[in-house]
Amino acid sequence: MHFSSKYFRAYLVLFTVSLLAASDLMAQDSTAPAATVVKKKSYTRNTFEGNYIIDNQSVMVPIKGTFEFDINHRFGIMSNNFTDLFGLFALANMRLGFDYTPIKDLQIGFGAGNYNMLVDWNAKYALLKQTRNNSMPVSVTLYGDVAMDTRAKNSSIPIVNTSDRFSYFSQILIARKFTEALSLQAGIALTHFNNIPGFLNANNDIVQELKNDNLTASFSGRYKISPKTSIIFSVDQPLTQNPMNNPHPNISFGLDMRSSGHDFQVFVGNYGYTLPEFNTVYNQNDFTKGQFLIGFNISRLWNF
């Protein structure tokens, strides 16, 4: 086919203009600033195996959509030896708990126990979380609990008003995972009872045996001895000086055994109640007299 010089010149001009436009566009793209890359925070995982470190909460909050069922059990003190088979035949304190994580970093729960027919409501919020690059070196969690004595009112129970049935516990927890094996946690707690024991003195004045507000410091930890087994410990020290019947400190230690969806703890300690407000104010088990007891916690988790 014959191709005229006129058409060839027009085609050449069009081709040249196209090349110039393309090269200009490429030059503009090469000088455009690079898009900012936002690095996602990487948090330290599994500081502890579950919600509990014996009688204390841990900084851990399950992932969103987790439902948890807990069984907390405390036998009697072991100092009676074979009389009650080291407390196994003694009166035990038990609690069943139900917890759910509706949104990220927040867990809410409900429980009921046999001691004083107590029911409780609790909430836990992960305020800060330790990062892998140590930009945040610790995890910080807030925990709160409200308990209600549901026993029927009678002359032997010091309940006059509905408010007398309530007690409160609030705690701030700070923890750090130092290695894959070692994690440590410290906490400070405030316990408040609306109604506390008292008596009438010779002048018919009401004398309180305890203060309504009590502070307690705690120190807990775990050391992994295998991928699914850890040694755990907890120490709780009352800080408030009461008029009488000061609560005794708690020293406890045991084993934590983890499997998929289950967490089982068995331990020996001084605390005999299943709720923190009663342990921190009413504990009269003295470790210097060997008044220890056996307890266990069982947790089962489901993710929805």
Side-chain angles (χ1 to χ4, degrees), residues 194-268:
N194 286 343
N195 189 31
I196 48 89
F199 61 91
L200 293 175
N201 63 14
N203 298 321
N204 277 336
D205 295 324
I206 297 176
V207 178
Q208 294 187 171
E209 296 180 8
L210 298 164
K211 293 183 178 180
N212 294 87
D213 297 302
N214 282 259
L215 285 172
T216 306
S218 65
F219 183 68
S220 308
R222 75 101 194 259
Y223 187 82
K224 298 188 76 170
I225 56 177
S226 76
K228 295 185 178 181
T229 304
S230 303
I231 296 171
I232 52 176
F233 74 89
S234 190
V235 177
D236 300 271
Q237 175 61 52
L239 301 178
T240 302
Q241 183 65 38
N242 287 276
M244 56 186 70
N245 296 332
N246 264 318
H248 289 286
N250 170 56
I251 298 176
S252 53
F253 52 91
L255 288 176
D256 185 305
M257 291 158 281
R258 181 82 172 181
S259 65
S260 178
H262 292 82
D263 188 30
F264 178 70
Q265 297 179 347
V266 59
F267 46 83
V268 172

Side-chain angles (χ1 to χ4, degrees), residues 35-88:
T36 303
V37 178
V38 179
K39 292 185 177 180
K40 187 177 180 180
K41 286 186 178 180
S42 180
Y43 296 109
T44 301
R45 299 182 63 185
N46 301 326
T47 303
F48 295 99
E49 302 306 317
N51 268 330
Y52 288 96
I53 313 174
I54 306 180
D55 295 293
N56 279 302
Q57 291 284 322
S58 76
V59 293
M60 302 298 292
V61 174
I63 63 173
K64 178 183 175 181
T66 300
F67 176 78
E68 179 172 336
F69 171 58
D70 300 311
I71 301 174
N72 312 116
H73 192 105
R74 308 293 183 268
F75 293 101
I77 58 174
M78 298 188 293
S79 55
N80 292 325
N81 301 322
F82 284 101
T83 302
D84 56 9
L85 197 59
F86 298 94
L88 298 184

Side-chain angles (χ1 to χ4, degrees), residues 1-282:
M1 178 184 294
H2 178 69
F3 203 77
S4 69
S5 60
K6 182 174 68 173
Y7 290 110
F8 178 79
R9 286 194 298 270
Y11 176 80
L12 185 61
V13 171
L14 181 62
F15 180 74
T16 303
V17 170
S18 299
L19 281 177
L20 291 173
S23 62
D24 184 62
L25 182 61
M26 290 175 65
Q28 290 180 15
D29 288 343
S30 64
T31 58
T36 303
V37 178
V38 179
K39 292 185 177 180
K40 187 177 180 180
K41 286 186 178 180
S42 180
Y43 296 109
T44 301
R45 299 182 63 185
N46 301 326
T47 303
F48 295 99
E49 302 306 317
N51 268 330
Y52 288 96
I53 313 174
I54 306 180
D55 295 293
N56 279 302
Q57 291 284 322
S58 76
V59 293
M60 302 298 292
V61 174
I63 63 173
K64 178 183 175 181
T66 300
F67 176 78
E68 179 172 336
F69 171 58
D70 300 311
I71 301 174
N72 312 116
H73 192 105
R74 308 293 183 268
F75 293 101
I77 58 174
M78 298 188 293
S79 55
N80 292 325
N81 301 322
F82 284 101
T83 302
D84 56 9
L85 197 59
F86 298 94
L88 298 184
F89 295 158
L91 182 65
N93 287 325
M94 295 166 285
R95 175 183 176 272
L96 300 181
F98 308 88
D99 303 287
Y100 184 67
T101 310
I103 60 175
K104 182 182 177 182
D105 297 331
L106 175 66
Q107 184 182 55
I108 55 176
F110 167 80
N114 64 329
Y115 178 75
N116 286 357
M117 299 175 64
L118 289 168
V119 297
D120 65 275
W121 301 265
N122 60 79
K124 190 176 184 182
Y125 181 69
L127 187 64
L128 298 171
K129 290 186 281 190
Q130 181 182 343
T131 56
R132 292 186 178 183
N133 64 0
N134 277 324
S135 60
M136 175 52 63
V138 296
S139 295
V140 180
T141 296
L142 305 177
Y143 176 77
D145 179 271
V146 179
M148 179 181 181
D149 186 331
T150 66
R151 292 175 295 173
K153 188 181 346 181
N154 61 56
S155 59
S156 64
I157 299 176
I159 295 176
V160 177
N161 302 311
T162 300
S163 62
D164 295 337
R165 299 181 179 274
F166 288 93
S167 56
Y168 309 87
F169 177 86
S170 56
Q171 187 176 38
I172 183 169
L173 301 163
I174 303 173
R176 175 170 173 81
K177 184 178 182 180
F178 290 91
T179 67
E180 284 301 314
L182 177 65
S183 296
L184 298 176
Q185 173 180 287
I188 188 76
L190 173 65
T191 303
H192 176 84
F193 277 83
N194 286 343
N195 189 31
I196 48 89
F199 61 91
L200 293 175
N201 63 14
N203 298 321
N204 277 336
D205 295 324
I206 297 176
V207 178
Q208 294 187 171
E209 296 180 8
L210 298 164
K211 293 183 178 180
N212 294 87
D213 297 302
N214 282 259
L215 285 172
T216 306
S218 65
F219 183 68
S220 308
R222 75 101 194 259
Y223 187 82
K224 298 188 76 170
I225 56 177
S226 76
K228 295 185 178 181
T229 304
S230 303
I231 296 171
I232 52 176
F233 74 89
S234 190
V235 177
D236 300 271
Q237 175 61 52
L239 301 178
T240 302
Q241 183 65 38
N242 287 276
M244 56 186 70
N245 296 332
N246 264 318
H248 289 286
N250 170 56
I251 298 176
S252 53
F253 52 91
L255 288 176
D256 185 305
M257 291 158 281
R258 181 82 172 181
S259 65
S260 178
H262 292 82
D263 188 30
F264 178 70
Q265 297 179 347
V266 59
F267 46 83
V268 172
N270 304 114
Y271 276 170
Y273 302 102
T274 57
L275 286 179
E277 49 263 71
F278 286 84
N279 280 323
T280 54
V281 174
Y282 288 107

